[in-house]
Structure formats: C-alpha cells, structure tokens
Amino acid sequence: MTGQTKSVIVANDIVGLGKVALSMALPILASCQIEVISLPTVLLSSHTGGFDNISITRLDAAMKGFLNQWQDMDLKIDGIITGYFGSQEQLDRVAAFAEQKQITRFVDPVMADKGRLYAGYQEEFVTAMRRFCMGADVITPNITEACLLAGCTYMGENCSKEDVEQLLAALSILENKHLIITGIAFEKGKIGLVHFDREKGTVSYHMAKSFPHHFFGTGDLLTAILGAGYFHGIALNEVADLALDFIDKTLRHTLTLQRDLKMGLCYEPYVAELASQMNDLKEKK
C-alpha cells in the first residue's frame, strides 16, 4: 500500500442529514485510498429534497480563506473534484486557483436537472461553468447539464443513441480527455452512462437496473468512485462498471430497510468490498 495514496481537493457542499455531496465523497474516497482536502462551498443542515426548515450557509468568505492559505503552501495536490457551487463567485475563485496551480480537474458540473437550472442559477453561471469545463480532464454532466454546456435544446431523459452521440460531438469543443454523460436511459428498466474517450476515439455505454424511486446522492456516489479510479490511473470503463455495481447493491439494500429515502443511501455495508475491488483494479493496471 505504500505510496499509493493520492491527495485530491473536493469542492462541494456538505450536509448534516442525507449523505450527499461532500458528506458522501469523504468516506467513499477515503475507502478508495484518496486523501481528501475538503473545500466546502455551502453548509446545509440537510439536503434540499423533502426536508423543511433547512439551515443553509454559503461559505464564500471561508472558501476565500481556504484558498488564500493554500495558495502559498507547497501542497501535494494530485487533482480536484468539483460539484455544487453556491455562487458564480465561488466557481470563479476555484477556477483561478486551479489554473494558477495547474491542477488536474475532474468536474461534475452540478447546475441543472430535468431540463431546468437549479434555483439561484442564471445563464451567466452556465457560461462560467462552460469556461471551467474547458480543458478539464473529465466532466460528468447529466443530460440537462450536457445540453446546457453544448448550448443545445434539452433533449429529454429518454433519448436515442444517435441523440447522445450528437450531443457528445457538440461537447467536443470543450476538449476534455473523457466525457461522461450520466442518467442515460434507452429502454424501460435500465439507466446508466455513456463514456467518450477522446484519445481512443471510443464511445461506450454502461447500464444498470433502474428503480421506480428517487434516490438522493446516486450522482455524488458515482462521481466519487469514478474520480477515485481516475486519479489512481485506472481505465474509466472499468471504474464505471465497478461504480454501477456498487450503486446497484446500495440501492437494493437501501430499499430493504423501508425507511424514508430522503435520509440517504445506505452504502456502508459495501464499503469494504468497494475498497477491495478498487485495490484489485489498481494492482491490475
């Protein structure tokens, strides 16, 4: 195990209840031997799906202080994984820091879903996110975010392979090494992702069972596992299959508990297995 740990900044919101975003990423990345340098963007008492009286604190000043300290330090930073930003100011600040330090970017451009921007975001934020995605090693938008980044009309969740590959072509202007679009569904009962590898010129689809429920945090779980694999130098197609299998087990187990789904995914029983499987992939590469 010596020398295998990677140090990665994770910029995302952190919640008390619900196990999403940075609250999800910390244990998952740690189990995959990724040392997390936390950069919290927003502090919430819970995620925003179904809870009332949520305490929300934007951390603009704190983020500025974090980055000001790190700016002058000789930190070992292998990359940055980004998720939700509370403002364009936060995004611009992280973009400037990443550029100045020449940090490899793994970007989940969290800003929209189901054809709509999230509350508080305007078109200016989309433009800023498009700039931030330009030249990033990996981006992982959902269908809505991919359409916004490409500047094209929202095509809906149930699209064809032809639609998806046209969208991939439109996004080629961002010059990413890897482009992953999540939430792809071509047939009833299946959902997954598409991966475009620019260097190899290949497009691959990775699908799993879909469930007739809304689960909070599946995208964050997927991003954490994909990010861990990427910064360990593992082929993303292999990591995608591992991630979807882990998520499938997690969703099935979560449903067996018959508790309110807004309380979050019950992934804990499978973390040791994830750690072992990720280590196996590392040793094989």
Side-chain angles (χ1 to χ4, degrees):
M1 298 292 181
T2 304
Q4 295 185 12
T5 301
K6 300 289 185 177
S7 297
V8 175
I9 294 173
V10 180
N12 213 337
D13 59 296
I14 188 164
V15 305
L17 286 172
K19 296 190 290 186
V20 302
L22 188 51
S23 303
M24 170 79 77
L26 280 165
I28 295 298
L29 288 167
S31 74
C32 295
Q33 299 180 54
I34 296 289
E35 181 178 70
V36 175
I37 303 170
S38 299
L39 183 59
T41 59
V42 182
L43 180 64
L44 302 97
S45 55
S46 72
H47 65 69
T48 57
F51 289 99
D52 297 320
N53 303 315
I54 304 167
S55 172
I56 302 175
T57 305
R58 252 179 45 189
L59 300 176
D60 296 51
M63 283 187 66
K64 180 179 179 181
F66 280 36
L67 295 175
N68 283 346
Q69 183 199 30
W70 299 347
Q71 190 74 44
D72 299 321
M73 294 178 66
D74 185 22
L75 285 175
K76 174 183 179 293
I77 302 173
D78 294 292
I80 183 169
I81 299 172
T82 65
Y84 179 81
F85 290 99
S87 65
Q88 185 177 329
E89 176 188 348
Q90 291 183 351
L91 173 59
D92 291 342
R93 196 176 296 280
V94 170
F97 178 82
E99 182 177 6
Q100 196 276 332
K101 291 282 191 179
Q102 291 297 292
I103 300 172
T104 299
R105 285 166 290 144
F106 187 110
V107 181
D108 183 3
V110 178
M111 58 182 171
D113 199 8
K114 301 188 185 306
R116 299 180 182 179
L117 281 171
Y118 291 141
Y121 288 160
Q122 307 297 330
E123 185 59 35
E124 292 79 7
F125 187 87
V126 177
T127 301
M129 182 60 79
R130 189 180 293 120
R131 286 198 303 268
F132 187 58
C133 287
M134 180 72 71
D137 270 33
V138 186
I139 64 171
T140 62
N142 61 32
I143 285 284
T144 302
E145 292 156 350
C147 290
L148 287 168
L149 291 171
C152 67
T153 304
Y154 174 58
M155 61 178 59
E157 303 297 322
N158 296 310
C159 46
S160 67
K161 286 190 177 182
E162 182 180 359
D163 292 332
V164 169
E165 290 176 18
Q166 287 177 352
L167 184 55
L168 290 172
L171 287 168
S172 65
I173 59 170
L174 298 179
E175 299 181 350
N176 309 115
K177 292 181 180 178
H178 300 272
L179 172 57
I180 294 172
I181 303 178
T182 65
I184 300 293
F186 301 123
E187 60 181 292
K188 187 175 181 179
K190 296 287 185 181
I191 192 167
L193 59 87
V194 58
H195 169 217
F196 171 64
D197 183 320
R198 175 181 288 273
E199 182 179 356
K200 295 180 179 178
T202 57
V203 175
S204 59
Y205 294 88
H206 304 262
M207 310 303 289
K209 176 180 171 60
S210 64
F211 296 85
H213 306 278
H214 182 73
F215 297 96
F216 298 95
T218 52
D220 299 312
L221 190 51
L222 178 64
T223 296
I225 298 172
L226 290 174
Y230 186 72
F231 286 111
H232 281 309
I234 302 169
L236 277 174
N237 284 338
E238 294 186 22
V239 184
D241 290 335
L242 170 59
L244 292 179
D245 179 65
F246 181 82
I247 292 170
D248 182 72
K249 291 173 183 173
T250 294
L251 299 186
R252 291 176 189 274
H253 177 64
T254 300
L255 289 174
T256 66
L257 300 178
Q258 297 185 332
R259 72 172 190 171
D260 192 331
L261 293 179
K262 72 185 179 185
M263 298 305 295
L265 300 175
C266 297
Y267 56 80
E268 291 86 354
Y270 306 104
V271 168
E273 183 179 347
L274 172 66
S276 176
Q277 291 176 328
M278 184 68 75
N279 194 59
D280 287 345
L281 289 179
K282 286 170 59 184
E283 292 180 351
K284 283 170 51 182
K285 71 179 179 70

